[in-house]
Amino acid sequence: MSYRSLLRVVGVGFFPLGFLARLPYASSALSTLILLQSSTHSYAFAGLASAAQSTAIAVSGPVVGALADRHGPRTVGALAALANFVAWAVLLAASQGTRPSMLLAATLVGLTQPQVGPLVRVHWSRLLRPRGERQLPAAALSYEAAADEVSFVAGPAVVGLLASVGPLAPAVLTMALIATATLPFALLHAHRDLPAQPSAEHRKPSLPRRPLAVMFLAMVAMGAVFGAVQTAVTVYADTLGEPGAAGLAYAGFGIGSALTGAACAWLPQRFTLRARYLTFAALLFAGMGVLFAGAQTVSMPAAVAVAGCTVAPYMISLYALTERLAPARRAALAMTILCAGGPLGTAAGQALGGSLAETHGTRGALVVAVAVAGGALLLALSAIVADRGRGVWIVDTVPVGRQEAPEPDMPARARPEG
C-alpha cells in the first residue's frame, strides 16, 4: 500500500510533526483578526490587517522558494521559523500601540511566514523520484493535500476555542507551535545538502513561464472558490443567527476535501495527469453547481460537504503538474509561486463574494464560486488544447534529467527534507 511505503521512507515522526508545523499557517489570519479586533474594537481594521498579512504571504512565498533553491530548505526553513516567531512577538507588542504599528507588524508576520506546505512537497519529489516508484510521489501529494485540508479545519477550530480564553491566546499558541513544531521540523526533516550548483556551461535553468502562469491562475481560481464559499457559509450562519454554524459547515467542506484527497493515492497510473487535470476541473465546476443548487433547495451544510469532495483532487493535479514542469533546481521556487495564488484568490473571492452577498445573500457569494470554477475549467481546456499532446504545457511523465541519485555517503532514509 502506498501510504505504508511512505511511512517506511520517512519514519513515523515525520507525519505528526509535519502536521503541527503547518498549523501556524492555517491559524495565522484568524489569530491576527481576533487579536487586532480586540485591541481596536474594529472588524474593518482587523480585516484590513489580516488581508495585508495574506497578501504579504503571497508576495514573500516565491522569495522563500528561490532562497530555498539556492541555500537549501533546512537553512531557509529554520530562519523563516525564527523570523516568524519574532514577528509574532512584535505583533503582540504592537497590539497595545497605534494602528499603523499593528498593520506593519501584521504584514511582517505574513512576510516571514514559513512555507511548510510548498517546501515539503519539494521534499517528497526529491526524496521519492530517485526510487523509481511511480505511485509513491502521487501518494505523497495525496497525503499533503489531505493534511492541508485537515489543518485548515483544525487550525481555525482551535483558534475559535482559544478565543474564549482571551484574545491573546490564539497568538500565543501560534508562537508555541512555531517554536515546538515548525522550527524542529525544518531542522530535523529538511534536506541536509544544498542543491547541486550548476557549472559555468550549465547555468540554473529557467522556469517555463507560460505553463507555470497557467498553474498559478488555476490556483488563484481555487483560492477564489475558497473565499467565496467561506463568505457564503458566514452569511448563511448570520441568517440563522448562529455564528457557530459557519465553522461547522466549513469543516464539512474541509473534511470532504481531505477524504477525497487521501483517496487519490489509489488512482490508477493509466489515469494520466492530463486526464486528471481536465476531469477534476470539470468535477470542481460540477461540485460548485451542486453547492449552488443544493444550498437553495436541500441543505447548505450537506451541499457544502458534497462540494468539498471535488476540491482536493483538483489541487493535487495542480501540484503534480507544477512538480513535473519545474526543473529540479527551481522546484521550490515553482511550488511557492503556485501556492502564492491561493491567498490572492481567497482575498479576491471574499471581496467579490462579500460585495454580492450584501444584496443577494448567500446566493450572491455562491454565484462567484460557480463562475470562478467555470473559469478554472475553461483554463484547463485551453491549456490542453494549446499543448496538443506535446508535453510542453501539460507534462505527464518525468522530464529527462529529473531523476536524482541519492548521495553515496548517506542513505535515502536519512535525508528527508522539510
Side-chain angles (χ1 to χ4, degrees):
M1 188 179 88
S2 296
Y3 288 126
R4 215 173 274 162
S5 300
L6 291 180
L7 190 63
R8 288 195 296 268
V9 170
V10 295
V12 177
F14 178 91
F15 293 99
L17 190 61
F19 178 76
L20 292 173
R22 74 187 72 209
L23 282 180
Y25 187 104
S27 61
S28 178
L30 186 56
S31 297
T32 299
L33 186 71
I34 291 170
L35 176 65
L36 297 188
Q37 193 280 329
S38 174
S39 297
T40 63
H41 305 288
S42 170
Y43 279 108
F45 175 77
L48 174 64
S50 185
Q53 188 179 98
S54 296
T55 303
I57 292 172
V59 170
S60 68
V63 177
V64 173
L67 290 173
D69 282 331
R70 183 177 181 85
H71 301 290
R74 167 169 293 183
T75 300
V76 174
L79 289 176
L82 290 171
N84 197 233
F85 185 90
V86 172
W88 272 104
V90 171
L91 179 59
L92 283 175
S95 67
Q96 306 304 314
T98 63
R99 290 192 178 191
S101 67
M102 295 180 199
L103 186 61
L104 182 61
T107 303
L108 183 62
V109 169
L111 289 174
T112 57
Q113 182 70 55
Q115 299 288 323
V116 177
L119 294 184
V120 80
R121 286 172 169 88
V122 176
H123 151 64
W124 283 119
S125 176
R126 291 179 180 169
L127 187 65
L128 298 177
R129 288 297 174 199
R131 294 172 174 265
E133 300 179 65
R134 295 179 60 189
Q135 282 294 88
L136 287 185
L141 290 178
S142 297
Y143 163 75
E144 289 301 320
D148 278 347
E149 293 300 328
V150 174
S151 73
F152 277 100
V153 173
V158 172
V159 167
L161 290 173
L162 284 176
S164 62
V165 177
L168 297 180
V172 172
L173 174 68
T174 300
M175 294 177 67
L177 285 171
I178 293 168
T180 61
T182 308
L183 178 59
F185 187 67
L187 293 174
L188 294 173
H189 294 289
H191 196 63
R192 296 175 185 270
D193 305 307
L194 293 179
Q197 296 300 314
S199 65
E201 294 79 14
H202 299 88
R203 286 296 161 197
K204 188 173 285 187
S206 60
L207 290 172
R209 294 183 181 179
R210 286 180 291 179
L212 185 56
V214 170
M215 295 296 101
F216 173 80
L217 291 175
M219 187 60 81
V220 169
M222 188 70 262
V225 167
F226 281 138
V229 172
Q230 286 174 356
T231 302
V233 297
T234 301
V235 174
Y236 164 77
D238 287 343
T239 302
L240 293 180
E242 298 180 12
L248 292 175
Y250 199 70
F253 189 78
I255 291 169
S257 180
L259 290 174
T260 52
C264 285
W266 288 282
L267 290 174
Q269 293 185 26
R270 63 179 178 273
F271 190 14
T272 65
L273 285 181
R274 181 189 307 274
R276 293 183 192 192
Y277 178 37
L278 183 58
T279 299
F280 294 146
L283 284 176
L284 179 68
F285 178 58
M288 294 308 109
V290 168
L291 174 56
F292 181 83
Q296 317 301 321
T297 60
V298 184
S299 164
M300 178 71 163
V304 166
V306 172
C309 294
T310 66
V311 169
Y314 175 75
M315 292 182 66
I316 291 170
S317 69
L318 299 185
Y319 285 120
L321 285 169
T322 301
E323 188 267 336
R324 294 286 173 86
L325 284 168
R329 294 195 297 270
R330 310 298 298 277
L333 175 58
M335 204 64 75
T336 49
I337 288 174
L338 173 70
C339 292
L344 291 178
T346 299
Q350 288 172 333
L352 186 54
S355 177
L356 290 178
E358 286 286 340
T359 52
H360 301 287
T362 301
R363 180 179 299 184
L366 292 179
V367 164
V368 175
V370 175
V372 172
L377 176 57
L378 289 176
L379 182 65
L381 285 167
S382 299
I384 288 173
V385 169
D387 188 69
R388 295 191 297 275
R390 295 176 298 165
V392 176
W393 293 74
I394 307 295
V395 182
D396 274 325
T397 58
V398 180
V400 175
R402 283 300 304 273
Q403 300 291 344
E404 299 174 15
E407 295 291 334
D409 60 342
M410 189 178 298
R413 185 185 175 103
R415 293 183 292 103
E417 64 177 74

